[in-house]
Amino acid sequence: MNENEINNFPSGSDSMSTDGMNHPMSDNPAEPVPPSSDDHEGNESKEGLSFNWLNLVIGVAICFWWSEGGNVFSENWTSYLFLCVVVVIHELGHVIAGKSFGCYIKEMQVFFLSFVSYKPKRTPEGSSWRDIKWSLGVLPLGGVTVFKSRGADGGDNVGDLSATSPYIEDKPAWQRLLISAAGVLFNIATFLILYFVLPHISDEWYEFLWPLTALSLILAVLNILPIYPLDGGAIVFALFEIITGKKPSPGFTTACGWIGFIIIVLFFWVFPEWLDGILESVFRSLF
């Protein structure tokens, strides 16, 4: 899921929250080098490895609660590793698409309640990729790619729509559509590659790669649902802008975010049989 300064509900991972970036030296002359915002970011601009032990403790407690007091560590942790791989692939889709259109990206986070983060140290030659903070969380509920936004920098909401603007809201609607869809497309590409490889490998490798294949498809299906702030909802907003030439108002998108949050809670946790039915029909048609 990709975010742009709204602290949205996470995607079955992708997302939208952003604020200022610390200023880098770019290795691409066409890539913008925004002013420094180190003074406003505090710990978020720290370079190197950092830990959040409180989030780790809270996350472990939540996992223990989910397991209803059972032994959390008796679970099959291979599935968590595969889910982590699938979410990384998904979020890298947003990152690569965003970078290709000149967006400034603050953070890529896999799972939630991040407990460990790494911010590369800047080098004399410079690289805007080194300004991305890479974070890993405790709760395996997806991930988020956080883009730099104009509002977080204290600027107005009137974009210049220039190719050099680092703000995601300044990008044309078709670019924002591709950025939102990139995570799903990366998951679909992973699924298709494995789908055609599985029949031609040994049983051992089949059993090993099948979870990665299934999770890639599941994450793609969940994120393409037209519910904001999932990727599918962001795609619908971009299509609306392409067709009408108008952006949805901030109030409308905020309302959709809250409604989407409620739908997601109902869909994923209160009435999961709805979701099971969708996934079952998809898998039945493919396998």
Side-chain angles (χ1 to χ4, degrees):
M1 159 175 193
N2 60 299
E3 293 198 347
N4 92 14
E5 193 49 43
I6 303 184
N7 288 331
N8 293 325
F9 187 81
S11 69
S13 123
D14 189 60
S15 55
M16 280 178 38
S17 157
T18 74
D19 48 26
M21 299 285 300
N22 42 348
H23 84 265
M25 299 176 60
S26 174
D27 56 358
N28 183 350
E31 196 166 304
V33 182
S36 172
S37 57
D38 288 354
D39 294 340
H40 304 288
E41 290 188 344
N43 291 335
E44 300 216 359
S45 65
K46 287 177 59 177
E47 296 176 343
L49 199 63
S50 60
F51 295 90
N52 188 323
W53 301 110
L54 179 60
N55 278 358
L56 180 60
V57 172
I58 293 174
V60 171
I62 292 175
C63 289
F64 184 81
W65 175 69
W66 274 346
S67 66
E68 297 180 347
N71 185 2
V72 179
F73 302 100
S74 65
E75 301 291 336
N76 180 7
W77 286 92
T78 305
S79 61
Y80 291 101
L81 292 176
F82 277 123
L83 180 59
C84 183
V85 170
V86 171
V87 173
V88 167
I89 291 171
H90 181 98
E91 298 305 330
L92 279 177
H94 294 308
V95 170
I96 292 172
K99 295 297 294 181
S100 67
F101 292 127
C103 292
Y104 225 82
I105 299 171
K106 177 183 176 181
E107 180 179 7
M108 190 190 97
Q109 179 176 322
V110 176
F111 295 169
F112 292 92
L113 272 182
S114 63
F115 69 96
V116 59
S117 301
Y118 177 71
K119 183 77 170 290
K121 295 183 178 180
R122 285 172 286 182
T123 57
E125 60 272 16
S127 170
S128 62
W129 282 87
R130 300 186 69 84
D131 289 285
I132 302 175
K133 183 168 73 171
W134 311 89
S135 301
L136 177 64
V138 187
L139 303 181
L141 299 176
V144 60
T145 298
V146 184
F147 287 82
K148 180 181 178 69
S149 77
R150 180 180 295 279
D153 280 353
D156 55 41
N157 292 321
V158 180
D160 57 19
L161 299 180
S162 66
T164 59
S165 173
Y167 302 114
I168 188 170
E169 61 263 50
D170 288 351
K171 302 302 176 183
W174 69 269
Q175 291 186 3
R176 284 183 276 112
L177 186 151
L178 291 178
I179 291 170
S180 296
V184 171
L185 294 177
F186 270 50
N187 286 144
I188 291 176
T190 303
F191 166 76
L192 290 176
I193 292 171
L194 294 173
Y195 180 78
F196 290 108
V197 166
L198 287 178
H200 307 289
I201 58 179
S202 66
D203 291 342
E204 293 78 9
W205 275 105
Y206 185 98
E207 293 181 6
F208 179 75
L209 291 176
W210 165 247
L212 183 61
T213 308
L215 286 171
S216 296
L217 180 59
I218 289 172
L219 197 62
V221 171
L222 296 184
N223 274 280
I224 204 63
L225 294 174
I227 303 171
Y228 188 75
L230 297 181
D231 294 335
I235 291 170
V236 170
F237 283 161
L239 286 173
F240 173 83
E241 185 177 344
I242 291 173
I243 294 171
T244 66
K246 299 179 181 179
K247 286 186 178 182
S249 68
F252 179 75
T253 56
T254 300
C256 287
W258 280 106
I259 294 172
F261 174 78
I262 294 171
I263 293 174
I264 289 170
V265 170
L266 293 173
F267 206 61
F268 285 77
W269 288 291
V270 180
F271 303 109
E273 60 272 11
W274 299 350
L275 183 60
D276 293 340
I278 293 176
L279 295 176
E280 183 179 351
S281 63
V282 171
F283 276 88
R284 189 185 300 117
S285 65
L286 292 172
F287 300 97

